[in-house]
Amino acid sequence: MFLKGKSAIVTGSTSGIGLALAKALAAEGASVMINGFGDADAIETERVALQAASGAKALYDGADMAKPDQIAAMVARAQDAFGGVDIAISNAGIQHVAPIEDFPVEKWDAILAINLSSSFHLMRAVVPGMKARGWGRILTTASAHSLVASPNKAAYVAAKHGIAGLTKTVALETAPFGVTVNCISPGYVWTPLVENQIPDTMAARGLTREQVINDVLLAAQPTKQFVLPEQVAALALFLCRDEAASITGANYSMDGGWTAA
Ligand code: NAD
C-alpha cells in the first residue's frame, strides 16, 4: 500500500475510467474523494467499498465540473477532510458527435467547460498545497484525440488538444517543487462514454452498431481490442510512485497503436 497517508481527488469517478482510477488508488491505501453524477445509492455503495479497500477515508462530492465555484468548493472540502490533496486526477468528460455545421453551440460550451476548463480550475486549486508540501501528482485523462483528430468531434478534439497543452504548461511551472503533471491518452476504452456515442455515430454516418464498433471505433486501434479501464489505472498508479518523479509534462498514449500510424 504505497499510497497510505496520501489523499486523492478523482473527478468523474462514478463510472468508467474514473471509477477504476479511484479503486486503484484506494487499493494502495489512499484516501479518495470521488465525484460525478449517478444514482445516489450506487455512489454510496462505491464510496463504502473504497473506504473498506483503503482503510482510509472515502468521500463523495457532487460538484458539477462545468461550475468553477463548485470545483473550488470540492477541493476545499477535500483539503479540510484529508489535510491536503496529494493526487488530483482530472478525468470527468463528456462527448457529442456532430458535423461542425450542425454542432450545437451549447454542446461546444459544455464540452470545453467539462473536458478542459475543469482541469484548469482543479489544478489552480490544488497546486499551492502541493508546492507547499513539496510533493504532488496531477494527472489528466486526455485521449488519443489530444494528438490526432476524428471527424464530427470538433469540441472533444479541441478540448483534448487543450488538455495536452495545459498539462505541459503546469508541468513546467511545478517541476521545481516535487510536483509532476502528466496526461494519459487512451484510445477507445470500453466504458459508458463510448457505448453512449454509438447511436449518434450510427445516425451521423448511417451505419449499424456492429459497423460502428468494428469499422469506426476499433478501426483506428491496430490491436482491435478496447483498452480496459484497469489498464489506464495501472499506468496512473505508476505515475504516482516516487520512481516516476522525473516523469512530468508527458503525454502517455495507451491506444493499441492508434497514434503510431
Ligand atoms: P464515463 O461516461 O463512463 O464517465 C464519465 C464520468 O464523468 C462519470 O462519472 C460522469 O458522472 C462524470 N461527469 C460527466 N459530466 C460531469 C460533470 N459536469 N461534472 C462532474 N462529473 C461529470 O466516461 P469514461 O469513458 O470513463 O471517460 C472518462 C474520461 O476519459 C473522459 O475525460 C474521457 O474523455 C476520457 N477518455 C475516454 C475514452 C474512452 O474510450 N472511454 C478514451 C479516451 C479518453
Side-chain angles (χ1 to χ4, degrees):
M1 286 204 160
F2 78 98
L3 293 176
K4 227 173 181 31
K6 294 275 197 280
S7 60
I9 295 180
V10 185
T11 72
S13 46
T14 53
S15 170
I17 297 168
L19 183 56
L21 289 165
K23 285 180 179 171
L25 294 166
E28 291 296 342
S31 303
V32 181
M33 178 173 272
I34 54 170
N35 157 262
F37 302 143
D39 174 71
D41 290 341
I43 293 171
E44 177 58 10
T45 302
E46 293 295 354
R47 189 195 67 76
V48 169
L50 290 168
Q51 207 156 251
S54 65
K57 286 183 195 165
L59 298 174
Y60 165 69
D61 192 287
D64 181 346
M65 291 302 108
K67 307 268 168 60
D69 54 333
Q70 294 188 20
I71 299 170
M74 174 186 72
V75 172
R77 190 175 155 224
Q79 285 168 335
D80 279 353
F82 301 148
V85 175
D86 302 301
I87 299 164
I89 307 187
S90 183
N91 169 79
I94 59 168
Q95 175 64 284
H96 186 80
V97 179
I100 188 72
E101 62 272 32
D102 299 331
F103 211 96
V105 172
E106 62 278 9
K107 291 285 184 193
W108 168 271
D109 289 342
I111 291 173
L112 267 287
I114 294 164
N115 295 19
L116 176 58
S117 297
S118 74
S119 299
F120 161 76
H121 296 295
L122 181 69
M123 289 184 199
R124 73 188 291 278
V126 298
V127 158
M130 291 178 176
K131 281 168 79 169
R133 286 190 301 283
W135 197 94
R137 295 288 184 269
I138 297 174
L139 294 170
T140 47
T141 312
S143 165
H145 284 123
S146 73
L147 298 164
V148 295
S150 296
N152 303 318
K153 295 185 177 177
Y156 190 87
V157 171
K160 295 298 185 180
H161 275 62
I163 280 285
L166 174 68
T167 298
K168 287 196 275 193
T169 305
V170 182
L172 294 178
E173 293 179 22
T174 57
F177 301 98
V179 178
T180 70
V181 191
N182 293 292
C183 306
I184 298 178
S185 284
Y188 281 100
V189 187
W190 188 247
T191 68
L193 183 142
V194 165
E195 203 170 354
N196 292 339
Q197 70 186 270
I198 291 173
D200 284 349
T201 309
M202 287 166 65
R205 299 202 188 180
L207 300 174
T208 66
R209 180 181 168 83
E210 287 63 38
Q211 284 171 324
V212 170
I213 290 176
N214 295 317
D215 303 341
V216 179
L217 302 181
L218 293 182
Q221 233 154 264
T223 53
K224 297 298 170 197
Q225 302 287 327
F226 285 101
V227 177
L228 301 178
E230 295 72 23
Q231 294 169 342
V232 177
L235 177 55
L237 271 191
F238 176 72
L239 292 170
C240 290
R241 300 193 81 100
D242 286 334
E243 292 90 327
S246 293
I247 301 174
T248 195
N251 186 351
Y252 275 94
S253 292
M254 187 182 280
D255 60 13
W258 174 355
T259 54

